[in-house]
Amino acid sequence: MCGFVRSFCLAMSSTSPQLRGSIVALVTPMHEDGSVDYAALRNLVDWHVAEGSDCIGVVGTTGESPTVDVEEHCEIIRVAVEQAAGRVPVMAGCGGNSTAEAIALARYARKVGADCQLQVVPYYNKPGQEGQYRHFAAIAEATGDLPIMLYNVPGRTVADLQHATVLRLAQLPGIFGIKEATGNLERAQWLIREVPEGFGVYSGDDATAVALMLLGGHGNVSVTANLAPRLMHALCMAALAGDLAQARRLQQQLLPLHRQLFVEANPIPVKWAVQRLGRCGGTLRLPMTELEPGNQALVEAAMHQAGLL
């Protein structure tokens, strides 16, 4: 187990989570034939280390987890960990709507040295609150030595991890925080107010992330950081430090990106935009298709407004 994980696990009992700041929800580069471009993945990891991303999250929704197969999923985690080489923590997307599969992915991520895992609410099969609790509790029991960030995004999963269930899960060893991606700031504030010390609340919604952090959140799992990692890191640091003027300035600079990167379903716009920066190819796997030409103009305009082009 790497040094970061050891210190991270110790931090579970401290007054604040070890993981803070900008966590990029990294795209998965692909060749024109749709195969994973591992060389480009390594380059992206190096770029994010150089640009100041505080953590690299791989094989989440933005990383096209629904369309990579299990072998690719595992190899993306392994390559990212290997390339990061301890310079920045790696959060491995290990979620699934099968509890057994989620545990298997987490065990692999732990084996290859990931620093923490992201576990999404099971999608499509619509478990109730007790089913969700038992799902995450089973993962924590099996792989809780690889710190777990819960992920609630009901707009995609349909099932919604309710406040009371989060509070139950926050008591379990190994679960250190939640990616709250509803964009509902009142909901996030109640979590921040009522979760135990040492449990982190992270935004999963770029547009409202700065407000969540100013209200006591711990960071942002960011799509925008794929394009502007240095700016997103600076935004998070300003918000976490309570520097309202700087946070406001950076938020206004990035606000058009926050909007236009969701002009179509994620990761369609961001994959196009990363290609536009020349960082990797823009190939997506079906059923995702390339960004519509009219929307390309919107994303490009937002990139200009952010000073990226």
Side-chain angles (χ1 to χ4, degrees), residues 14-208:
S14 73
T15 58
S16 64
Q18 180 81 0
L19 184 59
R20 297 172 68 86
S22 175
I23 305 163
V24 59
L26 195 68
V27 298
T28 296
M30 295 178 183
H31 295 288
E32 288 187 8
D33 65 1
S35 60
V36 177
D37 185 346
Y38 292 105
L41 174 61
R42 291 181 183 277
N43 289 337
L44 283 178
V45 170
D46 287 342
W47 183 55
H48 279 279
V49 171
E51 290 292 298
S53 289
D54 298 289
C55 178
I56 296 174
V58 294
V59 221
T61 305
T62 311
E64 296 180 73
S65 58
T67 59
V68 297
D69 63 32
V70 173
E71 290 75 18
E72 290 168 328
H73 194 132
C74 291
E75 183 65 1
I76 292 165
I77 295 171
R78 189 197 69 79
V79 168
V81 170
E82 181 180 82
Q83 193 66 25
R87 295 174 294 168
V88 64
V90 173
M91 180 167 66
C94 297
N97 60 352
S98 159
T99 306
E101 180 179 326
I103 289 171
L105 287 170
R107 283 175 171 160
Y108 181 83
R110 180 180 61 190
K111 175 183 175 182
V112 298
D115 298 286
C116 53
Q117 57 177 300
L118 182 68
Q119 287 287 354
V120 70
V121 169
Y123 40 86
Y124 188 76
N125 42 14
K126 298 174 64 175
Q129 295 306 300
E130 185 61 24
Q132 292 178 57
Y133 176 81
R134 293 188 190 184
H135 170 81
F136 290 119
I139 295 168
E141 182 176 2
T143 66
D145 53 343
L146 182 65
I148 299 165
M149 182 186 289
L150 308 172
Y151 178 17
N152 189 36
V153 57
R156 285 187 178 269
T157 63
V158 182
D160 186 0
L161 188 63
Q162 295 291 326
H163 182 87
T165 309
V166 177
L167 296 184
R168 288 179 70 194
L169 290 166
Q171 305 299 324
L172 298 181
I175 299 179
F176 74 90
I178 183 169
K179 176 183 175 184
E180 170 52 49
T182 65
N184 184 326
L185 287 173
E186 181 183 5
R187 179 173 179 158
Q189 287 178 81
W190 280 105
L191 280 176
I192 291 166
R193 183 178 188 271
E194 296 189 350
V195 293
E197 290 187 7
F199 187 89
V201 178
Y202 302 83
S203 177
D205 178 65
D206 279 308
T208 59

Side-chain angles (χ1 to χ4, degrees), residues 21-22 52 54 205-211 213-214 219-220 222 224-225 228-255 258:
S22 175
D54 298 289
D205 178 65
D206 279 308
T208 59
V210 65
M213 288 183 283
L214 287 166
N220 181 27
S222 174
T224 298
R230 188 175 296 274
L231 289 171
M232 181 53 69
H233 167 76
L235 172 61
C236 290
M237 292 302 103
L240 292 170
D243 185 346
L244 182 58
Q246 175 74 340
R248 181 189 294 123
R249 183 186 69 79
L250 291 167
Q251 172 72 351
Q252 289 298 318
Q253 183 176 353
L254 293 173
L255 193 59
H258 298 338

Side-chain angles (χ1 to χ4, degrees), residues 266-289:
N266 181 47
I268 291 172
V270 71
K271 201 74 174 287
W272 182 89
V274 175
Q275 180 185 41
R276 180 68 179 82
L277 289 180
R279 292 289 167 187
C280 72
T283 301
L284 299 125
R285 289 183 179 175
L286 289 172
M288 297 288 100
T289 55

Side-chain angles (χ1 to χ4, degrees), residues 5 12 39 56 156 177 226 234 238 242 257 294 304:
V5 173
M12 294 301 104
I56 296 174
R156 285 187 178 269
N226 278 282
L257 277 180
H304 278 289

